[in-house]
mmCIF file of all heavy atoms in Angstrom:
data_model
loop_
_atom_site.group_PDB
_atom_site.id
_atom_site.type_symbol
_atom_site.label_atom_id
_atom_site.label_comp_id
_atom_site.label_asym_id
_atom_site.label_seq_id
_atom_site.Cartn_x
_atom_site.Cartn_y
_atom_site.Cartn_z
ATOM 1 N N GLU A 1 -5.260 -1.068 14.386
ATOM 2 C CA GLU A 1 -4.475 0.108 14.773
ATOM 3 C C GLU A 1 -3.239 0.189 13.895
ATOM 4 O O GLU A 1 -2.556 -0.813 13.665
ATOM 5 C CB GLU A 1 -4.051 -0.026 16.238
ATOM 6 C CG GLU A 1 -3.373 1.210 16.800
ATOM 7 C CD GLU A 1 -3.070 1.095 18.282
ATOM 8 O OE1 GLU A 1 -3.601 0.165 18.927
ATOM 9 O OE2 GLU A 1 -2.290 1.934 18.778
ATOM 10 N N LYS A 2 -2.965 1.372 13.367
ATOM 11 C CA LYS A 2 -1.828 1.537 12.478
ATOM 12 C C LYS A 2 -0.509 1.337 13.226
ATOM 13 O O LYS A 2 -0.360 1.760 14.356
ATOM 14 C CB LYS A 2 -1.853 2.922 11.824
ATOM 15 C CG LYS A 2 -2.994 3.101 10.828
ATOM 16 C CD LYS A 2 -2.898 4.445 10.122
ATOM 17 C CE LYS A 2 -4.006 4.587 9.093
ATOM 18 N NZ LYS A 2 -3.934 5.877 8.361
ATOM 19 N N ILE A 3 0.415 0.700 12.546
ATOM 20 C CA ILE A 3 1.715 0.370 13.130
ATOM 21 C C ILE A 3 2.821 0.857 12.199
ATOM 22 O O ILE A 3 2.728 0.679 10.983
ATOM 23 C CB ILE A 3 1.874 -1.154 13.326
ATOM 24 C CG1 ILE A 3 0.665 -1.747 14.074
ATOM 25 C CG2 ILE A 3 3.180 -1.478 14.054
ATOM 26 C CD1 ILE A 3 0.450 -3.207 13.789
ATOM 27 N N THR A 4 3.849 1.437 12.757
ATOM 28 C CA THR A 4 5.025 1.804 11.987
ATOM 29 C C THR A 4 6.123 0.799 12.304
ATOM 30 O O THR A 4 6.523 0.664 13.461
ATOM 31 C CB THR A 4 5.513 3.219 12.337
ATOM 32 O OG1 THR A 4 4.477 4.153 12.058
ATOM 33 C CG2 THR A 4 6.749 3.580 11.528
ATOM 34 N N PRO A 5 6.604 0.061 11.302
ATOM 35 C CA PRO A 5 7.671 -0.909 11.591
ATOM 36 C C PRO A 5 8.961 -0.206 11.973
ATOM 37 O O PRO A 5 9.249 0.899 11.501
ATOM 38 C CB PRO A 5 7.824 -1.669 10.272
ATOM 39 C CG PRO A 5 7.320 -0.734 9.222
ATOM 40 C CD PRO A 5 6.232 0.082 9.880
ATOM 41 N N ASP A 6 9.745 -0.848 12.804
ATOM 42 C CA ASP A 6 11.040 -0.304 13.209
ATOM 43 C C ASP A 6 12.156 -0.745 12.271
ATOM 44 O O ASP A 6 13.124 -0.035 12.053
ATOM 45 C CB ASP A 6 11.376 -0.749 14.640
ATOM 46 C CG ASP A 6 10.355 -0.242 15.628
ATOM 47 O OD1 ASP A 6 10.402 0.944 15.976
ATOM 48 O OD2 ASP A 6 9.471 -1.035 16.028
ATOM 49 N N ILE A 7 11.989 -1.954 11.718
ATOM 50 C CA ILE A 7 13.005 -2.522 10.822
ATOM 51 C C ILE A 7 12.297 -3.180 9.653
ATOM 52 O O ILE A 7 11.368 -3.978 9.850
ATOM 53 C CB ILE A 7 13.866 -3.568 11.560
ATOM 54 C CG1 ILE A 7 14.586 -2.943 12.756
ATOM 55 C CG2 ILE A 7 14.881 -4.191 10.597
ATOM 56 C CD1 ILE A 7 15.272 -3.970 13.645
ATOM 57 N N THR A 8 12.680 -2.825 8.440
ATOM 58 C CA THR A 8 12.182 -3.550 7.274
ATOM 59 C C THR A 8 13.328 -4.394 6.709
ATOM 60 O O THR A 8 14.463 -3.929 6.636
ATOM 61 C CB THR A 8 11.642 -2.604 6.182
ATOM 62 O OG1 THR A 8 12.635 -1.641 5.846
ATOM 63 C CG2 THR A 8 10.392 -1.885 6.683
ATOM 64 N N VAL A 9 12.996 -5.608 6.349
ATOM 65 C CA VAL A 9 14.019 -6.556 5.921
ATOM 66 C C VAL A 9 13.750 -7.037 4.503
ATOM 67 O O VAL A 9 12.653 -6.876 3.970
ATOM 68 C CB VAL A 9 14.086 -7.774 6.874
ATOM 69 C CG1 VAL A 9 14.579 -7.352 8.244
ATOM 70 C CG2 VAL A 9 12.720 -8.465 6.982
ATOM 71 N N SER A 10 14.770 -7.649 3.927
ATOM 72 C CA SER A 10 14.669 -8.243 2.601
ATOM 73 C C SER A 10 15.479 -9.527 2.615
ATOM 74 O O SER A 10 16.083 -9.891 3.638
ATOM 75 C CB SER A 10 15.163 -7.271 1.530
ATOM 76 O OG SER A 10 16.505 -6.888 1.800
ATOM 77 N N ASP A 11 15.517 -10.211 1.485
ATOM 78 C CA ASP A 11 16.225 -11.475 1.424
ATOM 79 C C ASP A 11 17.694 -11.308 1.816
ATOM 80 O O ASP A 11 18.399 -10.416 1.331
ATOM 81 C CB ASP A 11 16.159 -12.032 -0.003
ATOM 82 C CG ASP A 11 16.684 -13.439 -0.096
ATOM 83 O OD1 ASP A 11 16.208 -14.290 0.674
ATOM 84 O OD2 ASP A 11 17.574 -13.679 -0.942
ATOM 85 N N GLY A 12 18.135 -12.143 2.754
ATOM 86 C CA GLY A 12 19.513 -12.087 3.204
ATOM 87 C C GLY A 12 19.767 -11.200 4.399
ATOM 88 O O GLY A 12 20.872 -11.214 4.958
ATOM 89 N N SER A 13 18.751 -10.437 4.811
ATOM 90 C CA SER A 13 18.914 -9.609 6.015
ATOM 91 C C SER A 13 19.193 -10.502 7.214
ATOM 92 O O SER A 13 18.755 -11.658 7.275
ATOM 93 C CB SER A 13 17.661 -8.776 6.284
ATOM 94 O OG SER A 13 17.436 -7.815 5.281
ATOM 95 N N VAL A 14 19.922 -9.957 8.180
ATOM 96 C CA VAL A 14 20.245 -10.697 9.403
ATOM 97 C C VAL A 14 19.800 -9.886 10.613
ATOM 98 O O VAL A 14 20.075 -8.682 10.702
ATOM 99 C CB VAL A 14 21.750 -11.000 9.495
ATOM 100 C CG1 VAL A 14 22.113 -11.583 10.861
ATOM 101 C CG2 VAL A 14 22.177 -11.951 8.394
ATOM 102 N N ILE A 15 19.092 -10.515 11.507
ATOM 103 C CA ILE A 15 18.702 -9.931 12.788
ATOM 104 C C ILE A 15 19.499 -10.644 13.874
ATOM 105 O O ILE A 15 19.470 -11.867 13.969
ATOM 106 C CB ILE A 15 17.186 -10.104 13.055
ATOM 107 C CG1 ILE A 15 16.348 -9.464 11.956
ATOM 108 C CG2 ILE A 15 16.819 -9.557 14.423
ATOM 109 C CD1 ILE A 15 16.445 -7.966 11.888
ATOM 110 N N MET A 16 20.218 -9.879 14.685
ATOM 111 C CA MET A 16 20.973 -10.468 15.790
ATOM 112 C C MET A 16 20.152 -10.348 17.065
ATOM 113 O O MET A 16 19.808 -9.257 17.494
ATOM 114 C CB MET A 16 22.316 -9.780 15.964
ATOM 115 C CG MET A 16 23.308 -10.022 14.835
ATOM 116 S SD MET A 16 23.667 -11.779 14.515
ATOM 117 C CE MET A 16 24.302 -12.316 16.117
ATOM 118 N N LEU A 17 19.836 -11.488 17.635
ATOM 119 C CA LEU A 17 19.146 -11.558 18.916
ATOM 120 C C LEU A 17 20.168 -12.033 19.931
ATOM 121 O O LEU A 17 20.397 -13.241 20.079
ATOM 122 C CB LEU A 17 17.956 -12.518 18.822
ATOM 123 C CG LEU A 17 17.127 -12.715 20.105
ATOM 124 C CD1 LEU A 17 16.370 -11.438 20.457
ATOM 125 C CD2 LEU A 17 16.163 -13.884 19.935
ATOM 126 N N GLY A 18 20.802 -11.095 20.604
ATOM 127 C CA GLY A 18 21.921 -11.483 21.445
ATOM 128 C C GLY A 18 22.988 -12.110 20.580
ATOM 129 O O GLY A 18 23.480 -11.498 19.640
ATOM 130 N N GLU A 19 23.315 -13.374 20.876
ATOM 131 C CA GLU A 19 24.315 -14.084 20.081
ATOM 132 C C GLU A 19 23.684 -14.997 19.014
ATOM 133 O O GLU A 19 24.386 -15.697 18.307
ATOM 134 C CB GLU A 19 25.206 -14.913 21.005
ATOM 135 C CG GLU A 19 26.035 -14.057 21.960
ATOM 136 C CD GLU A 19 26.968 -14.880 22.818
ATOM 137 O OE1 GLU A 19 27.122 -16.089 22.533
ATOM 138 O OE2 GLU A 19 27.554 -14.316 23.765
ATOM 139 N N THR A 20 22.358 -14.964 18.925
ATOM 140 C CA THR A 20 21.650 -15.796 17.952
ATOM 141 C C THR A 20 21.448 -15.025 16.656
ATOM 142 O O THR A 20 20.875 -13.943 16.647
ATOM 143 C CB THR A 20 20.295 -16.254 18.495
ATOM 144 O OG1 THR A 20 20.484 -17.027 19.691
ATOM 145 C CG2 THR A 20 19.540 -17.094 17.486
ATOM 146 N N LYS A 21 21.920 -15.621 15.572
ATOM 147 C CA LYS A 21 21.814 -15.013 14.251
ATOM 148 C C LYS A 21 20.554 -15.514 13.560
ATOM 149 O O LYS A 21 20.371 -16.721 13.377
ATOM 150 C CB LYS A 21 23.049 -15.369 13.415
ATOM 151 C CG LYS A 21 23.068 -14.804 12.008
ATOM 152 C CD LYS A 21 24.363 -15.231 11.298
ATOM 153 C CE LYS A 21 24.407 -14.725 9.875
ATOM 154 N NZ LYS A 21 25.672 -15.138 9.191
ATOM 155 N N ILE A 22 19.664 -14.593 13.203
ATOM 156 C CA ILE A 22 18.417 -14.932 12.539
ATOM 157 C C ILE A 22 18.493 -14.398 11.109
ATOM 158 O O ILE A 22 18.588 -13.197 10.885
ATOM 159 C CB ILE A 22 17.207 -14.331 13.269
ATOM 160 C CG1 ILE A 22 17.176 -14.816 14.729
ATOM 161 C CG2 ILE A 22 15.916 -14.700 12.545
ATOM 162 C CD1 ILE A 22 16.105 -14.155 15.576
ATOM 163 N N LYS A 23 18.457 -15.302 10.149
ATOM 164 C CA LYS A 23 18.565 -14.920 8.738
ATOM 165 C C LYS A 23 17.187 -14.859 8.095
ATOM 166 O O LYS A 23 16.334 -15.710 8.357
ATOM 167 C CB LYS A 23 19.453 -15.906 7.980
ATOM 168 C CG LYS A 23 19.694 -15.527 6.537
ATOM 169 C CD LYS A 23 20.616 -16.525 5.844
ATOM 170 C CE LYS A 23 20.854 -16.143 4.383
ATOM 171 N NZ LYS A 23 21.734 -17.123 3.702
ATOM 172 N N VAL A 24 16.981 -13.863 7.260
ATOM 173 C CA VAL A 24 15.707 -13.660 6.574
ATOM 174 C C VAL A 24 15.779 -14.281 5.169
ATOM 175 O O VAL A 24 16.704 -13.993 4.414
ATOM 176 C CB VAL A 24 15.365 -12.171 6.460
ATOM 177 C CG1 VAL A 24 14.056 -11.973 5.691
ATOM 178 C CG2 VAL A 24 15.275 -11.537 7.852
ATOM 179 N N LEU A 25 14.805 -15.118 4.857
ATOM 180 C CA LEU A 25 14.673 -15.677 3.516
ATOM 181 C C LEU A 25 13.388 -15.129 2.894
ATOM 182 O O LEU A 25 12.308 -15.264 3.479
ATOM 183 C CB LEU A 25 14.585 -17.200 3.552
ATOM 184 C CG LEU A 25 15.753 -17.975 4.160
ATOM 185 C CD1 LEU A 25 15.497 -19.477 4.030
ATOM 186 C CD2 LEU A 25 17.049 -17.613 3.473
ATOM 187 N N SER A 26 13.495 -14.515 1.747
ATOM 188 C CA SER A 26 12.316 -14.027 1.046
ATOM 189 C C SER A 26 11.578 -15.192 0.415
ATOM 190 O O SER A 26 12.152 -15.963 -0.361
ATOM 191 C CB SER A 26 12.741 -13.022 -0.043
ATOM 192 O OG SER A 26 11.607 -12.594 -0.787
ATOM 193 N N THR A 27 10.289 -15.362 0.774
ATOM 194 C CA THR A 27 9.485 -16.468 0.254
ATOM 195 C C THR A 27 8.103 -15.961 -0.155
ATOM 196 O O THR A 27 7.097 -16.272 0.481
ATOM 197 C CB THR A 27 9.355 -17.605 1.296
ATOM 198 O OG1 THR A 27 8.867 -17.060 2.533
ATOM 199 C CG2 THR A 27 10.697 -18.276 1.529
ATOM 200 N N PRO A 28 8.040 -15.162 -1.211
ATOM 201 C CA PRO A 28 6.755 -14.624 -1.650
ATOM 202 C C PRO A 28 5.835 -15.716 -2.194
ATOM 203 O O PRO A 28 6.287 -16.816 -2.526
ATOM 204 C CB PRO A 28 7.145 -13.633 -2.749
ATOM 205 C CG PRO A 28 8.430 -14.170 -3.282
ATOM 206 C CD PRO A 28 9.145 -14.754 -2.090
ATOM 207 N N GLY A 29 4.570 -15.379 -2.310
ATOM 208 C CA GLY A 29 3.591 -16.312 -2.854
ATOM 209 C C GLY A 29 2.284 -16.212 -2.116
ATOM 210 O O GLY A 29 1.228 -15.982 -2.706
ATOM 211 N N HIS A 30 2.321 -16.366 -0.789
ATOM 212 C CA HIS A 30 1.119 -16.150 0.024
ATOM 213 C C HIS A 30 0.824 -14.651 0.077
ATOM 214 O O HIS A 30 -0.313 -14.218 -0.065
ATOM 215 C CB HIS A 30 1.325 -16.731 1.421
ATOM 216 C CG HIS A 30 0.147 -16.554 2.327
ATOM 217 N ND1 HIS A 30 -1.075 -17.152 2.087
ATOM 218 C CD2 HIS A 30 0.014 -15.844 3.478
ATOM 219 C CE1 HIS A 30 -1.922 -16.815 3.047
ATOM 220 N NE2 HIS A 30 -1.301 -16.018 3.911
ATOM 221 N N THR A 31 1.867 -13.864 0.306
ATOM 222 C CA THR A 31 1.838 -12.423 0.134
ATOM 223 C C THR A 31 3.078 -12.038 -0.672
ATOM 224 O O THR A 31 4.004 -12.819 -0.807
ATOM 225 C CB THR A 31 1.845 -11.652 1.470
ATOM 226 O OG1 THR A 31 3.099 -11.897 2.142
ATOM 227 C CG2 THR A 31 0.693 -12.052 2.367
ATOM 228 N N LYS A 32 3.067 -10.821 -1.157
ATOM 229 C CA LYS A 32 4.209 -10.357 -1.955
ATOM 230 C C LYS A 32 5.490 -10.321 -1.128
ATOM 231 O O LYS A 32 6.582 -10.561 -1.634
ATOM 232 C CB LYS A 32 3.916 -8.967 -2.523
ATOM 233 C CG LYS A 32 4.986 -8.432 -3.470
ATOM 234 C CD LYS A 32 5.162 -9.325 -4.688
ATOM 235 C CE LYS A 32 3.962 -9.321 -5.591
ATOM 236 N NZ LYS A 32 4.185 -10.115 -6.838
ATOM 237 N N GLY A 33 5.370 -10.032 0.158
ATOM 238 C CA GLY A 33 6.554 -9.885 0.989
ATOM 239 C C GLY A 33 6.700 -10.930 2.074
ATOM 240 O O GLY A 33 7.332 -10.675 3.113
ATOM 241 N N GLY A 34 6.155 -12.111 1.870
ATOM 242 C CA GLY A 34 6.297 -13.171 2.864
ATOM 243 C C GLY A 34 7.746 -13.556 3.064
ATOM 244 O O GLY A 34 8.529 -13.610 2.111
#
């Protein structure tokens, strides 16, 4: 089923989950956008 993402991220992006800071690290290789 087709899905539209709500948030697209890149290296260094930060997602705040309440008071928890989740940092995105770009690690391509398995896929281009892993």
Side-chain angles (χ1 to χ4, degrees):
E1 187 175 347
K2 291 185 178 181
I3 309 155
T4 300
D6 299 283
I7 300 171
T8 54
V9 293
S10 58
D11 189 53
S13 294
V14 171
I15 301 293
M16 291 303 302
L17 179 68
E19 296 183 10
T20 299
K21 180 180 179 180
I22 303 173
K23 184 178 180 181
V24 178
L25 300 183
S26 177
T27 53
H30 180 64
T31 65
K32 185 60 68 175

